Amino acid sequence: MLSPMLSLLMLALPLLSGVVHTVPGLALERAGIVGGQEAPSSKWPWQVSLRCNFNFWMHCCGGSLIHPQWVLTAAHCVGPNIMSTELFRVQLREQHLYYRDHLLPINRIIIHPDFYKPQDGADIALLELEDPVNISRRIHPISLPPASETFPSGTPCWVTGWGNVHSGEALPPPFPLKEVRVPIVENHLCDANYHTGLSTGDNIHIVREDMLCAGNSRRDSCQGDSGGPLACKVRGTWLQAGVVSWGDGCAQPNRPGIYTRVTHYLDWIHCYVPEYP
């Protein structure tokens, strides 16, 4: 168990009001962008906004298009118990939230069976869209990595989303998609960092093998966009290394952002999602 000092963030962020709400069944987690800038409109064509039904279709999590009919996101965005597909919609890549919405219905939600809470791992879920989307230069899937890819320190990686710009400070209108380059932190170092200031024994792994760390005290994900992609360029190709999962605050010393490691779950993903070129 983690110390109570490890205060986690509520993921749901109603950008129009600045008040934090939660969706029934959602966990206490994080995501968003600190230390970044508005993303160019031509970048990140796989980025999606997961919308939750709070009297209107409010942005509550991020996600990524990995196939014309499948979105990858965090399990805590839609679980741990499978929720009704009627509570969610998917908005494909848009530069500003709410301005040109065309929300897509979801046919099926698949949560990893080992998921209970993000700190225990398996924070990954799949959303099957009712219909395949039209692939174009503006909207197309991100590639999944080969199982052998480790994403060592120094790999150029970016996290994108519509979350808070600082702890407790919501993204202001017109709610642009933001991006920030984040450094990969090796798991053993990340785990040692998370033990700093805690009474947890060193033999207890906070950062598990199905997790990946990225970020520092200047650049990080933050509250508002769990489930979004950590995209890394490897040999000229953008690959999804991680899914934004959890962390302690935003851009705090010794507290990199923690992501679900996609390579750990490739077999599970391909049980449902066909290979896509």
Side-chain angles (χ1 to χ4, degrees):
M1 293 291 292
L2 296 183
S3 160
M5 294 171 61
L6 220 71
S7 57
L8 299 178
L9 300 172
M10 301 303 294
L11 70 92
L13 178 65
L15 295 170
L16 297 182
S17 67
V19 178
V20 173
H21 295 268
T22 57
V23 185
L26 294 189
L28 305 173
E29 318 330 314
R30 59 117 63 149
I33 302 300
V34 174
Q37 59 278 326
E38 181 171 348
S41 60
S42 60
K43 291 180 71 176
W44 321 122
W46 44 79
Q47 178 77 38
V48 307
S49 167
L50 181 62
R51 302 297 179 85
C52 301
N53 193 356
F54 290 116
N55 298 318
F56 72 98
W57 291 107
M58 183 179 296
H59 170 81
C60 57
C61 271
S64 56
L65 193 69
I66 60 170
H67 178 276
Q69 201 166 357
W70 290 90
V71 168
L72 185 65
T73 190
H76 76 256
C77 290
V78 289
N81 299 314
I82 296 176
M83 299 172 67
S84 170
T85 57
E86 294 302 313
L87 294 175
F88 300 99
R89 293 289 186 272
V90 166
Q91 171 63 48
L92 299 177
R93 172 68 161 92
E94 63 181 352
Q95 191 67 10
H96 301 97
L97 289 180
Y98 310 122
Y99 282 71
R100 293 183 179 178
D101 279 357
H102 179 66
L103 304 181
L104 303 179
I106 295 170
N107 181 57
R108 186 165 44 146
I109 297 171
I110 303 170
I111 297 171
H112 195 280
D114 293 339
F115 176 72
Y116 175 66
K117 64 180 188 291
Q119 302 96 303
D120 292 339
D123 189 12
I124 192 167
L126 293 164
L127 310 177
E128 182 185 32
L129 303 176
E130 283 195 357
D131 298 298
V133 304
N134 294 321
I135 301 305
S136 65
R137 174 179 287 184
R138 189 177 70 85
I139 295 171
H140 67 76
I142 186 171
S143 297
L144 297 178
S148 59
E149 184 57 57
T150 59
F151 301 103
S153 294
T155 305
C157 298
W158 294 74
V159 62
T160 47
W162 291 276
N164 278 11
V165 293
H166 296 287
S167 291
E169 183 180 339
L171 180 70
F175 316 121
L177 178 67
K178 295 194 68 181
E179 63 176 18
V180 66
R181 182 169 175 169
V182 288
I184 295 290
V185 181
E186 296 288 359
N187 273 33
H188 70 280
L189 177 58
C190 185
D191 189 67
N193 285 341
Y194 264 84
H195 278 88
T196 303
L198 299 179
S199 58
T200 307
D202 291 342
N203 60 325
I204 303 297
H205 288 291
I206 296 173
V207 179
R208 306 188 179 198
E209 64 177 9
D210 72 331
M211 299 175 185
L212 177 70
C213 296
N216 56 30
S217 60
R218 298 182 306 279
R219 292 174 283 175
D220 195 7
S221 55
C222 191
Q223 182 183 11
D225 245 349
S226 290
L230 176 69
C232 303
K233 202 164 193 178
V234 179
R235 295 177 290 278
T237 299
W238 286 105
L239 304 175
Q240 183 162 351
V243 176
V244 182
S245 182
W246 66 282
D248 181 15
C250 305
Q252 298 297 310
N254 299 314
R255 298 294 188 266
I258 298 181
Y259 301 75
T260 302
R261 187 180 289 269
V262 171
T263 54
H264 194 87
Y265 292 102
L266 289 174
D267 288 345
W268 176 78
I269 291 170
H270 289 308
C271 284
Y272 304 97
V273 181
E275 296 278 355
Y276 184 75

